[in-house]
Amino acid sequence: MMDDDNRGRLYRWDMRWYLRANSRWDAHLLDTFSTDQLEPGHHFAFWSEVVCRTFTMLDCRVADWTDFRARLCSRSVAGISVARVEATPSSVVRTAGLIRSSHDDSHIVMLQISGSAEVQQGERSQTISPGAFDVVQADRPYVLDFPRDFSQYVIKLPRGMQPLGRAISPTAARFVRSLARDLLDPDI
């Protein structure tokens, strides 16, 4: 069991790790971050920083630091952030304390590509599998647990945009998948 100091919380880590794993400075249309180019001891601290900078302040957790790997490709267009996340088993927690310290009232839409995600927010708990998706609100505590290797598209919408809701039609799911692919993988 890890103690609180070893969970990979966001700290101002040596930025050389962040810069070395980032895409080229002149390629800002699509930012790609990967733990592959880093020493294994730095993987999770780097990943925590990337996740918090991309989405919102989160407490990132992992059971196995030694084999942790992750990759994130993201793009922002007109205030909407779209990302593809691939990682080994891990979890993130949005606590009341993090909400107070960094207010964010956006909606976060997650479309599962592979693996599964256990989503908990308030009294609601759901497991999403490939092809399914869920929405969490960043201004309320939540837990996302990824028990095995996974990949998913994540779309962060400003509060003013209406979320897609919990019951999504297959047509809406195809639209979200198409949007994410078009913004992240334009050559597909």
Side-chain angles (χ1 to χ4, degrees):
M1 187 84 178
M2 292 177 284
D3 60 22
D4 285 344
D5 292 334
N6 291 325
R7 285 194 187 154
R9 293 177 192 224
L10 177 69
Y11 291 109
R12 295 293 171 210
W13 297 96
D14 181 345
M15 291 305 292
R16 287 176 294 174
W17 305 339
Y18 184 84
L19 298 176
R20 194 173 20 205
N22 191 359
S23 59
R24 297 178 346 155
W25 283 106
D26 60 345
H28 288 292
L29 293 177
L30 182 64
D31 289 322
T32 301
F33 302 93
S34 175
T35 59
D36 291 344
Q37 300 172 1
L38 303 173
E39 295 177 27
H42 300 281
H43 285 190
F44 196 69
F46 166 76
W47 184 247
S48 294
E49 180 82 13
V50 167
V51 166
C52 292
R53 286 177 181 255
T54 303
F55 302 115
T56 192
M57 292 294 291
L58 296 162
D59 180 2
C60 299
R61 301 174 181 184
V62 67
D64 184 2
W65 286 53
T66 57
D67 290 329
F68 181 78
R69 294 175 328 282
R71 175 181 163 91
L72 182 143
C73 297
S74 68
R75 176 178 284 171
S76 292
V77 177
I80 299 172
S81 298
V82 179
R84 180 182 172 123
V85 179
E86 301 168 357
T88 55
S90 55
S91 63
V92 296
V93 180
R94 177 89 167 138
T95 65
L98 289 172
I99 292 167
R100 281 191 300 276
S101 69
S102 65
H103 182 72
D104 181 354
D105 63 355
S106 59
H107 299 286
I108 299 174
V109 180
M110 300 159 293
L111 174 63
Q112 203 67 25
I113 301 168
S114 68
S116 64
E118 296 170 11
V119 181
Q120 297 175 346
Q121 186 166 47
E123 299 296 316
R124 187 176 64 84
S125 181
Q126 176 179 330
T127 299
I128 56 175
S129 56
F133 63 95
D134 201 355
V135 180
V136 293
Q137 297 170 344
D139 62 351
R140 295 181 44 225
Y142 62 85
V143 176
L144 305 176
D145 184 43
F146 306 96
R148 53 188 177 273
D149 291 6
F150 74 96
S151 61
Q152 67 177 195
Y153 288 121
V154 181
I155 301 173
K156 183 177 177 183
L157 301 169
R159 176 62 106 192
M161 300 184 115
Q162 197 65 347
L164 300 173
R166 295 191 228 318
I168 301 297
S169 72
T171 302
R174 282 191 299 273
F175 171 74
V176 169
R177 189 177 302 113
S178 175
L179 173 66
R181 282 185 184 150
D182 288 349
L183 291 174
L184 296 174
D185 303 316
D187 296 331
I188 294 178

